[in-house]
Amino acid sequence: ILFIRGGGWMLAYTLGYTDLEPWLFFWPVVLVLIGANLVLGALRRGEMSEADADSTLNGFATLSGLERRMTTNDFRGGDLTAVMGGIEIDLTQSRIQGESPTLHLFAFWGGIDIRVPEEWSVDFRVIPFLGGASDETAAPSGSNPPTLIVKGMAIMGGIEIKN
């Protein structure tokens, strides 16, 4: 519906039915959507127990860089946001117990690089918008490998997973 309305507005402007230029309203809408995503991400995290804090990964990099190595025996996922910055995460020493953890990623004019153990399977569900997203992990050997679910969006940025 948003694309139909936006396209209709651009067509009406091109044909001379309206004097309101659609590009003047494009950037504020993008900034509002980015802000809403950051607020919803913070609300989604909620309160964590001390055990969860050691097992979850949360990071935010804006106009800066963040490097982290995580060594836990019960990785439970987390949230990473890079806005005009970069994040590098090394999970090669971590293990998954129980359910498949979910890692939520958001990159806007920035990049997120994640390294996972070779025995993990990755379910990659990242949507690139004017950016790039790549899953460069090799298929794990063995039956029933632990699975990491990766969800997120890359807007004019990049997200890369490798082992």
Side-chain angles (χ1 to χ4, degrees):
I1 291 174
L2 218 97
F3 287 116
I4 292 171
R5 286 187 178 179
W9 187 6
M10 286 184 226
L11 180 64
Y13 178 76
T14 302
L15 295 175
Y17 292 122
T18 182
D19 292 337
L20 296 174
E21 192 170 340
W23 304 114
L24 293 176
F25 298 99
F26 175 73
W27 290 110
V29 169
V30 169
L31 293 176
V32 167
L33 290 175
I34 290 169
N37 186 37
L38 294 174
V39 169
L40 290 175
L43 292 176
R44 186 173 48 221
R45 280 185 215 121
E47 295 285 325
M48 288 188 290
S49 68
E50 202 170 304
D52 286 342
D54 292 338
S55 300
T56 58
L57 178 63
N58 295 310
F60 184 83
T62 177
L63 296 172
S64 61
L66 172 68
E67 288 184 38
R68 191 171 293 165
R69 168 177 268 152
M70 190 156 196
T71 58
T72 180
N73 288 327
D74 187 17
F75 182 68
R76 297 185 184 179
D79 294 301
L80 297 172
T81 302
V83 178
M84 294 187 279
I87 298 177
E88 290 184 22
I89 303 297
D90 184 2
L91 297 173
T92 55
Q93 302 299 315
S94 296
R95 301 292 168 250
I96 295 175
Q97 308 289 328
E99 299 183 11
S100 299
T102 302
L103 196 54
H104 298 276
L105 307 177
F106 179 69
F108 179 72
W109 287 346
I112 300 175
D113 293 326
I114 300 173
R115 294 180 57 91
V116 297
E118 293 181 4
E119 57 269 3
W120 285 11
S121 173
V122 175
D123 183 3
F124 196 67
R125 305 176 192 172
V126 175
I127 300 168
F129 180 73
L130 298 175
S134 66
D135 176 8
E136 298 180 6
T137 57
S141 60
S143 61
N144 201 15
T147 302
L148 174 65
I149 300 169
V150 179
K151 296 180 178 181
M153 179 174 273
I155 301 174
M156 294 183 268
I159 295 175
E160 181 181 31
I161 308 274
K162 56 188 167 187
N163 53 13

